[in-house]
């Protein structure tokens, strides 16, 4: 096999393992230690690589606070340790968030051992930069994350009047009398009179920490036409206002579940959205219209495509077309569904949300792999074969 020969000549030995839970055999590889290195500079003349990657993070590259060993080996291949001897562009696209991109980029650089540029990291709420002009000077409610972290992210995007549910509770604890602000929570708040502050939009940046408080405040804002504690009711006037969507509602992550270092997947922002809509419908008789960002939405994949184009330009200069795109993810509902809809090749890894013992995935990937290292190697082998066929 030509591609296997190429890997061996580069200093890699191949071994064949049995498939997992009835799946086809998967080729895995172990790198032999050596002194050989391949260097590549964007300033050197080079053809654009034949492929590029988009990676999910949780359950693919890391699990909880720890990076997966396979992730470091996979990134080594993309950084040049491959038979082509070139750097292969990639970006990290996550439905996570809650902190600034630069903070998480530096943390991932340390965890994974490879320097990530600003164009290589996209969080679920990064796309909100595209709506800043509409709400830059208007009061908006920012939900999720720890303390005021998401407020700081919103302000870094350009939202000048971003408030949190903790601000609301500090203004009037009777809003939700079943919670008492702790010292750190209170320290993170801003003094605002919400009876005189009309909220124009609600952005659920990240997974809320207090679902009850946040759902109550969301209902108060919407039913009050933007004013917390404003007039509410179930009359026709209120329903007309709901249909006109006086307060825009945006969720940034549709994931019902996600994978941490716990044995079973955890509930995500998608579960919070379902809880809010169930309560709101019980109160009003209808769900509230909303905009959804995050994987697998088209808007998020379009945003990722532009970021990848920018990164590719950094590495190889202007390019008219993207190389063959591969997406490696662990969640069929977000990673695989989004990649398939975008027309990109999709690889479902078995280190996160998806467990092959529970049956076939809800969205069929191009390929399955036991981990991200196997996924990357399969994609490179596939493109090497295509090159050989064309040649």
């Amino acid at each position: 096999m030509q591609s296997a020969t190429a890997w061996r000549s580069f200093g890699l030995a191949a071994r064949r393992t049995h498939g997992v839970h009835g799946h086809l055999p998967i080729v895995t590889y172990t790198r032999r230690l050596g002194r050989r290195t391949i260097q590549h500079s964007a300033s050197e003349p080079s053809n654009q690589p034949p492929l590029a990657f988009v990676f999910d993070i949780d359950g693919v590259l890391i699990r909880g606070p720890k990076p997966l060993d396979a992730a470091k080996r996979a990134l080594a291949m993309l950084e040049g340790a491959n038979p082509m001897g070139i750097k292969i562009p990639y970006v990290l696209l996550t439905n996570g968030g809650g902190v600034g991109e630069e903070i998480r980029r530096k943390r991932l650089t340390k965890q994974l051992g490879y320097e990530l540029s600003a164009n290589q990291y996209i969080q679920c709420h990064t796309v909100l930069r595209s709506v800043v002009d509409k709400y830059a000077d208007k009061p908006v409610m920012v939900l999720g994350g720890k303390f005021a972290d998401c407020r700081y992210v919103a302000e870094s995007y350009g939202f000048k009047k971003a408030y949190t549910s903790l601000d609301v509770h500090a203004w009037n604890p009777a809003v939700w009398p079943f919670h008492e602000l702790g010292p750190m929570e209170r320290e993170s708040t801003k003094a605002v009179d919400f009876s005189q502050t009309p909220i124009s939009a609600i952005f659920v940046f990240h997974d809320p920490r207090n679902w009850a408080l946040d759902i109550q405040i969301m209902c108060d804002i919407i039913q009050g036409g933007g004013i917390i504690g404003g007039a509410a009711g179930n009359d026709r006037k209120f329903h007309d206002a709901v249909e006109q969507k006086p307060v825009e509602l945006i969720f940034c992550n549709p994931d019902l579940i996600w994978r941490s270092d716990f044995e079973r997947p955890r509930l995500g922002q998608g579960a919070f959205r379902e809880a809010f809509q169930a309560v709101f419908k019980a109160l009003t008789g209808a769900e509230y219209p909303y905009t959804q960002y995050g994987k697998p939405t088209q808007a998020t994949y379009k945003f990722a495509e532009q970021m990848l184009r920018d990164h590719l330009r950094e590495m190889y200069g202007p390019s008219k077309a993207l190389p063959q795109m591969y997406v490696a993810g662990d969640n069929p509902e977000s990673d695989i569904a989004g990649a398939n809809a975008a027309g990109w090749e999709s690889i479902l890894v078995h280190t996160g949300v998806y467990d092959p013992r529970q049956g076939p995935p809800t969205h069929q990937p191009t390929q399955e792999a036991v981990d991200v290292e196997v996924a990357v190697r399969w994609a490179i082998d596939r493109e090497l074969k295509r090159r050989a066929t064309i040649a």
Side-chain angles (χ1 to χ4, degrees):
M1 184 171 66
Q2 184 174 354
S3 59
T5 302
W7 283 107
R8 283 195 291 270
S9 68
F10 184 70
L12 296 167
R15 61 184 176 85
R16 184 170 294 275
T17 60
H18 295 291
V20 179
H21 308 299
H23 288 248
L24 292 174
I26 300 173
V27 177
T28 59
Y29 297 79
T30 302
R31 184 169 185 180
R32 295 197 297 265
L33 297 177
R35 295 173 178 257
R36 181 176 180 179
T37 61
I38 288 185
Q39 296 180 342
H40 173 77
S41 170
S43 62
E44 297 171 356
S46 173
N47 292 327
Q48 179 174 291
L51 73 167
F53 282 90
V54 174
F55 293 107
D56 182 36
I57 299 177
D58 294 307
V60 178
L61 301 179
I62 64 174
R63 181 179 288 177
K66 298 180 180 179
L68 297 171
D69 290 338
K72 294 186 176 183
R73 295 190 292 268
L75 295 183
M77 293 182 227
L78 302 182
E79 291 292 334
N82 59 71
M84 294 176 287
I86 60 175
K87 289 189 176 184
I88 298 171
Y90 63 93
V91 298
L92 309 186
L93 176 62
T94 176
N95 271 349
V99 297
E101 283 78 5
E102 185 64 13
I103 294 174
R104 188 80 193 279
R105 184 190 67 79
K106 289 180 178 179
R107 188 185 305 165
L108 283 168
T109 290
K110 185 176 180 180
Q111 287 175 307
L112 298 172
Y114 292 94
E115 185 70 30
L116 299 171
S117 75
N119 284 331
Q120 283 182 276
Y121 181 64
I122 308 165
Q123 301 190 110
C124 64
H125 46 67
T126 308
V127 69
L128 291 180
R129 292 172 177 170
S130 62
V131 300
V132 167
D133 290 345
K134 185 177 180 180
Y135 293 107
D137 297 307
K138 296 179 180 180
V140 298
M141 185 60 55
V142 175
L143 302 180
K146 296 180 179 179
F147 307 117
D149 286 354
C150 285
R151 185 217 309 284
Y152 302 144
V153 176
E155 290 174 344
S156 73
Y157 291 172
F159 297 101
K160 300 173 185 176
K161 299 179 181 179
Y163 304 113
T164 71
S165 55
L166 297 181
D167 296 337
V168 178
H169 196 282
W171 163 68
N172 188 344
V175 164
W176 189 250
F178 308 108
H179 179 73
E180 184 175 341
L181 295 183
M184 294 184 68
E185 289 179 316
R186 187 169 296 281
E187 186 179 346
S188 73
T189 63
K190 278 186 175 182
V192 182
D193 182 359
F194 286 98
S195 68
Q196 303 297 319
T197 306
I199 301 298
S200 297
I202 301 171
F203 299 134
V204 186
F205 266 56
H206 193 41
D207 297 13
R209 286 347 189 225
N210 189 330
W211 286 25
L213 171 64
D214 288 6
I215 288 174
Q216 178 67 76
I217 290 173
M218 291 170 73
C219 291
D220 286 339
I221 291 172
I222 294 169
Q223 289 183 287
I227 294 293
I228 298 174
N234 290 321
D235 57 12
R236 182 62 189 169
K237 182 178 179 182
F238 171 69
H239 283 286
D240 288 344
V242 169
E243 291 176 5
Q244 294 168 12
K245 201 166 65 168
V247 178
E248 184 167 12
L249 175 59
I250 294 178
F251 292 93
C252 292
N253 174 5
D255 286 352
L256 185 70
I257 56 175
W258 65 287
R259 189 62 187 262
S260 69
D261 49 350
F262 192 70
E263 289 83 358
R264 296 283 299 166
R266 302 292 83 195
L267 296 177
Q269 191 183 134
F272 172 78
R273 185 196 68 214
E274 292 297 318
F276 160 75
Q277 291 288 21
V279 170
F280 190 82
K281 185 176 182 179
L283 288 172
T284 68
E287 293 188 351
Y288 193 73
Y290 64 92
T291 299
Q292 181 70 69
Y293 290 127
K295 297 179 293 184
T297 66
Q298 183 182 31
T300 290
Y301 275 83
K302 285 290 185 183
F303 191 83
E305 179 180 324
Q306 186 55 53
M307 292 281 280
L308 187 58
R309 287 184 186 276
D310 293 341
H311 181 51
L312 194 63
R313 188 181 303 109
E314 285 179 346
M315 297 175 67
Y316 292 97
S319 174
K320 293 183 179 179
L322 284 173
Q324 179 61 61
M325 295 297 304
Y326 287 86
V327 176
D330 69 310
N331 191 332
E333 297 290 342
S334 56
D335 303 311
I336 305 307
N340 291 348
W344 297 347
E345 306 292 346
S346 56
I347 310 175
L348 180 61
V349 300
H350 297 175
T351 51
V353 167
Y354 174 66
D355 185 343
R357 293 173 296 185
Q358 297 178 354
T362 51
H363 295 271
Q364 189 63 40
T366 308
Q367 179 75 357
E368 291 187 27
V370 293
D371 58 39
V372 70
E373 178 188 9
V374 174
V376 168
R377 195 178 303 278
W378 173 81
I380 293 175
D381 283 346
R382 190 182 192 218
E383 295 305 318
L384 285 173
K385 290 178 182 177
R386 286 179 173 177
R387 273 190 169 186
T389 301
I390 294 174

